[in-house]
Amino acid sequence: MSQPTIESVLQEKRLFYPPQTLAQKAQVKSMADYQALYDKATADPQAFWAELAEQELHWFKKWDQVLDWQPPFAKWFVGGKLNISYNCLDRHLTTWRRHKAALIWEGEPGDSRTLTYAQLHREVCQVANALKSLGIKKGDRVGLYMPMVPEAAIAMLACARIGAPHTVVFGGFSAEALKDRLNDAEAKLVITADGGFRKDKTIALKAAVDAALEDNGVPSVKNVLVVQRTKQDVSMEAGRDHWWHELQAEASADCPAEEMDAEDVLFILYTSGTTGKPKGVVHTIGGYNLYTHMTLKWAFDLKDTDIYWCTADVGWITGHSYIVYGPLSNGATSLMYEGVPRPSNPGCFWDMVEKYGVNIFYTAPTAIRTFLKMGDEIPKARDLSSLRLLGTVGEPINPEAWMWYHHVIGGGECPIVDTWWQTETGGFMITPLPGAIPTKPGSATKPFPGILADVVDIDGNPVGANEGGYLVIKHPWPGMMRTVYGDDDRFRRTYWEHIPPQNGQYVYFAGDGARKDEDGYFWVMGRVDDVISVSGHRLGTMEIESALVSHPAVAEAAVVGRKDEIKGEDVFAFVTLEDTHSPSDELKQALKQHVVAEIGAIARPGEIRFAEALPKTRSGKIIRRFLRNLASGEDLVGDASTMEDQSVLDKLREG
Ligand code: PRX
């Protein structure tokens, strides 16, 4: 089993048509319907989005201008007033959905909770008032460092309700990584929990927050709100730390949603790029609300009776857009699960599907490959007949995993919705609409209506069918990021200057390589920059290198992705040592642990190779291409003649 290569997917010719019964009931029923929508959106994107915004969302005040585009800065629904928490909660309360399950949650130890829209609304209002009582006002940033509990969604919605941008930091990040992100966002308050349950263990979230805040580590943070989850011992600093349940119990359940400007910031979410410092991706309220709402509605052909389950963590964009905001804005029932498959419970996902009668299931290729390896017996022993649609996201899915997902999980009946998108795009960009677009294993198929995607060369010229190139978007869309927090210049350089503007039109550079086949289907091949994807988690190689060189033993480090059967890629680090240190297994372990402490367990190198020197050009640039080849045990690709010292490669190979 391997990741797709140009050669392997070029040979992939299978086509799977939408099942007729599904197509008949779908919102977009045929290729002709899709094409008509796509053409309409392309002809007049502003009119297309404005019509949907009017029809699908509640506005306190309508916008004056649909789009203000000062490349590369976009504003959507300028002058419009709304609140995403109102759209996710209040507006459903006057309908039958008032008593519909908004969130169904199951904890790792098997405890569970269901919150109807009315109940969720009540808790969100109480917590919003609790935040106000701690001095949080419109515009103040709030950090979240939470396990997968309903309180994570409640906290996000409470922040949105009072206009305080949230910045969620995945609970698997270390105290150091948390500290960097809280400082960059200048968060005023942190919401966390005493701990969380993960893979049969508890994780110490509050202790990590304490470590991040130690010695005035984040001067902007004044208060910490702590959810009681595991009941493990935690220290509570008087005056600074408060129990969530105590403040919630005192708080009023009356908290009208703040009337927010469409372009006010909804959240900042940090993601890895090509430099050592993660970027704070900024999303604003109006465009993001509309975009996550529409993409979920059409790509997962959402029905009011559906039980919809996305297995992501709220710490990532997938959790933001497709566990919380997209589903709740649509009035759907969103399932949240704290557990992850683990040796002690390899069938836990399928137990959830059976127990709750899940209709739409959305996960990542790395999970699918793990299940495939465990064998068919585990899913086959459960009743998965409720499933109607299956989704995948995060990295290219290899056709073998796609076929297994289709047959073994979907019983050959469920279209596979392969959604290509990014933290930056807010929502799905290239995805099948399952009643309309026939699927091909390994292809995310066609752009969503309103998304002008293309594959171009480095000068911006479209490449021919089946030729590889760079994936770009040629027109702004409502869900796009607005900037890098505090760094407009980095936003411009990273996304808008790699490909020169075409006839004065700026194009968004996604950082992915892709090709388009003769049917106009997109095949995303993976990143073209120094970003790697480990189990679908996005990591910057420079970030890991910075972590390594901050260890006193390390002189220089170069990190590359090595192909991995299950994870897609694994972290492979080449390290040269200071003269004062010599290679040993203990040092390798210490360096791995150091990366875990600096970033988090998701970045732990699978392998560290000590080297006397790294391959460099005469101008001193590390030649990563060779390191990638060496890490994956492949022949070296390319010309070594520009290298300063040719013997370096031989030594590395032996190493
Ligand atoms: O390389 C692409 C890959 O994930 C990157 C975005 O990562 P992140 O911002 O963490 O968001 C992940 C969840 C949206 C992309 O640049 N990627 C995402 N979805 C796919 C994918 N690669 C291939 N196929 C996909 N469906």
Side-chain angles (χ1 to χ4, degrees):
M1 206 186 330
S2 62
Q3 285 291 291
T5 57
I6 285 258
E7 295 71 31
S8 73
V9 291
L10 267 177
Q11 289 158 15
E12 182 54 65
K13 299 283 183 219
R14 288 171 286 200
L15 195 61
F16 293 82
Y17 286 92
Q20 247 189 11
T21 45
L22 188 137
Q24 278 163 359
K25 292 187 209 139
Q27 297 171 60
V28 185
K29 296 180 174 29
S30 65
M31 198 62 174
D33 279 4
Y34 160 77
Q35 201 58 51
L37 268 178
Y38 192 82
D39 293 346
K40 178 178 163 190
T42 307
D44 190 348
Q46 295 192 32
F48 174 77
W49 291 116
E51 187 184 329
L52 293 172
E54 183 125 41
Q55 188 183 298
E56 300 286 329
L57 301 185
H58 169 271
W59 297 83
F60 297 119
K61 174 182 172 286
K62 200 180 157 178
W63 53 91
D64 308 312
Q65 190 185 354
V66 181
L67 171 66
D68 173 12
W69 178 223
Q70 313 281 339
F73 301 100
K75 291 185 180 146
W76 284 88
F77 308 111
V78 183
K81 299 270 185 201
L82 79 169
N83 188 302
I84 196 169
S85 150
Y86 186 98
N87 276 321
C88 288
L89 301 168
D90 306 50
R91 64 168 167 159
H92 303 312
L93 301 186
T94 51
T95 71
W96 68 273
R97 290 196 191 101
R98 182 178 180 87
H99 301 302
K100 175 178 176 177
L103 291 178
I104 299 178
W105 169 80
E106 180 149 321
E108 144 121 346
D111 45 342
S112 63
R113 252 183 105 185
T114 298
L115 286 148
T116 64
Y117 275 93
Q119 290 167 325
L120 184 61
H121 173 260
R122 183 181 166 79
E123 297 214 11
V124 167
C125 288
Q126 290 170 329
V127 174
N129 279 328
L131 292 174
K132 283 189 192 167
S133 75
L134 293 173
I136 297 301
K137 301 181 304 298
K138 186 170 170 173
D140 290 339
R141 271 86 55 211
V142 174
L144 268 65
Y145 188 62
M146 305 277 280
M148 276 293 285
V149 291
E151 286 80 359
I154 293 169
M156 289 163 78
L157 291 161
C159 288
R161 194 159 189 90
I162 61 173
H166 53 72
T167 179
V168 186
V169 179
F170 171 58
F173 278 117
S174 68
E176 269 309 303
L178 172 65
K179 180 166 131 184
D180 290 346
R181 287 158 176 78
L182 292 175
N183 270 320
D184 191 81
E186 294 173 286
K188 210 164 154 189
L189 180 139
V190 181
I191 307 180
T192 188
D194 50 357
F197 295 103
R198 200 165 178 86
K199 293 197 177 172
D200 301 317
K201 288 196 290 233
T202 55
I203 44 169
L205 292 167
K206 174 63 166 58
V209 172
D210 292 341
L213 301 186
E214 203 171 61
D215 300 328
N216 204 22
V218 190
S220 55
V221 170
K222 305 295 175 225
N223 290 107
V224 180
L225 191 55
V226 188
V227 172
Q228 197 170 45
R229 168 69 186 129
T230 54
K231 303 214 165 97
Q232 65 202 84
D233 270 343
V234 292
S235 70
M236 295 290 280
E237 194 180 297
R240 185 195 74 179
D241 299 348
H242 315 268
W243 285 110
W244 167 295
H245 58 274
E246 290 176 1
L247 292 198
Q248 189 188 344
E250 290 163 13
S252 145
D254 178 25
C255 181
E258 191 80 32
E259 294 195 7
M260 300 298 292
D261 199 278
E263 278 299 326
D264 280 334
V265 175
L266 174 62
F267 64 84
I268 305 164
L269 184 59
Y270 286 84
T271 191
S272 298
T274 47
T275 70
K277 195 172 167 281
K279 302 177 278 228
V281 170
V282 174
H283 282 287
T284 57
I285 301 165
Y288 176 85
N289 192 167
L290 178 65
Y291 198 67
T292 51
H293 179 102
M294 283 322 302
T295 44
L296 184 69
K297 183 170 176 161
W298 286 349
F300 280 126
D301 190 36
L302 212 54
K303 303 274 191 276
D304 238 328
T305 47
D306 279 330
I307 304 285
Y308 159 86
W309 181 24
C310 164
T311 70
D313 189 284
V314 287
W316 309 110
I317 190 70
T318 311
H320 284 57
S321 301
Y322 298 115
I323 293 177
V324 182
Y325 292 118
L328 299 179
S329 180
N330 277 290
T333 298
S334 181
L335 192 63
M336 247 180 122
Y337 180 48
E338 188 184 24
V340 287
R342 50 207 182 274
S344 65
N345 196 355
C348 62
F349 273 17
W350 316 126
D351 288 338
M352 290 281 292
V353 171
E354 182 175 293
K355 176 171 174 185
Y356 294 104
V358 172
N359 307 109
I360 304 172
F361 175 72
Y362 186 34
T363 195
T366 188
I368 300 164
R369 290 191 293 264
T370 309
F371 296 132
L372 189 162
K373 213 159 184 189
M374 287 175 182
D376 299 1
E377 297 69 35
I378 299 172
K380 282 196 168 149
R382 274 87 178 174
D383 178 4
L384 305 182
S385 61
S386 59
L387 291 170
R388 189 175 93 244
L389 288 171
L390 299 172
T392 164
V393 60
E395 52 180 310
I397 181 164
N398 46 310
E400 186 188 351
W402 195 103
M403 292 301 293
W404 184 85
Y405 198 28
H406 183 64
H407 285 299
V408 179
I409 303 304
E413 305 273 339
C414 306
I416 297 205
V417 182
D418 179 350
T419 60
W420 175 83
W421 61 295
Q422 309 176 295
T423 306
E424 292 88 338
T425 69
F428 309 151
M429 299 294 280
I430 302 180
T431 175
L433 302 187
I437 302 179
T439 51
K440 301 184 185 187
S443 168
T445 75
K446 301 257 180 179
F448 195 78
I451 300 306
L452 276 62
D454 205 356
V455 181
V456 301
D457 65 19
I458 196 67
D459 299 318
N461 305 307
V463 300
N466 289 318
E467 278 175 36
Y470 302 101
L471 184 51
V472 296
I473 312 295
K474 295 183 160 171
H475 190 278
W477 66 102
M480 68 196 277
M481 74 183 284
R482 298 302 192 259
T483 190
V484 172
Y485 187 67
D487 200 345
D488 285 348
D489 194 47
R490 187 168 175 197
F491 174 61
R492 182 194 301 276
R493 272 184 286 120
T494 311
Y495 302 103
W496 304 94
E497 286 185 350
H498 282 276
I499 307 286
Q502 301 294 297
N503 311 320
Q505 302 279 335
Y506 273 67
V507 294
Y508 170 83
F509 170 78
D512 278 311
R515 73 181 175 90
K516 216 166 38 161
D517 69 16
E518 53 285 350
D519 301 323
Y521 277 54
F522 285 77
W523 300 76
V524 179
M525 310 307 304
R527 302 288 306 193
V528 292
D529 53 11
D530 294 326
V531 168
I532 58 176
S533 169
V534 179
S535 299
H537 296 146
R538 176 167 160 182
L539 293 166
T541 53
M542 284 271 287
E543 247 175 294
I544 307 172
E545 288 165 9
S546 309
L548 283 165
V549 296
S550 72
H551 189 281
V554 176
E556 228 181 353
V559 168
V560 294
R562 172 178 58 181
K563 287 189 189 126
D564 184 276
E565 260 200 6
I566 302 288
K567 299 182 192 172
E569 279 180 295
D570 197 7
V571 177
F572 195 112
F574 293 88
V575 166
T576 66
L577 295 175
E578 296 286 358
D579 294 343
T580 45
H581 290 76
S582 39
S584 69
D585 279 341
E586 292 73 45
L587 183 56
K588 266 190 197 173
Q589 290 313 319
L591 292 180
K592 288 183 184 179
Q593 211 35 53
H594 183 67
V595 173
V596 173
E598 290 290 308
I599 304 176
I602 50 171
R604 179 199 295 274
E607 189 166 340
I608 291 183
R609 186 172 293 176
F610 292 120
E612 283 176 30
L614 298 174
K616 288 188 184 163
T617 62
R618 292 196 177 90
S619 59
K621 238 184 117 186
I622 294 174
I623 311 178
R624 286 164 181 283
R625 176 168 38 103
F626 290 152
L627 293 177
R628 274 194 285 270
N629 295 149
L630 284 168
S632 295
E634 303 162 346
D635 291 337
L636 298 187
V637 180
D639 178 14
S641 65
T642 55
M643 270 187 64
E644 190 189 36
D645 176 1
Q646 311 255 348
S647 69
V648 166
L649 281 179
D650 299 330
K651 290 198 190 122
L652 275 174
R653 226 183 258 120
E654 289 158 16

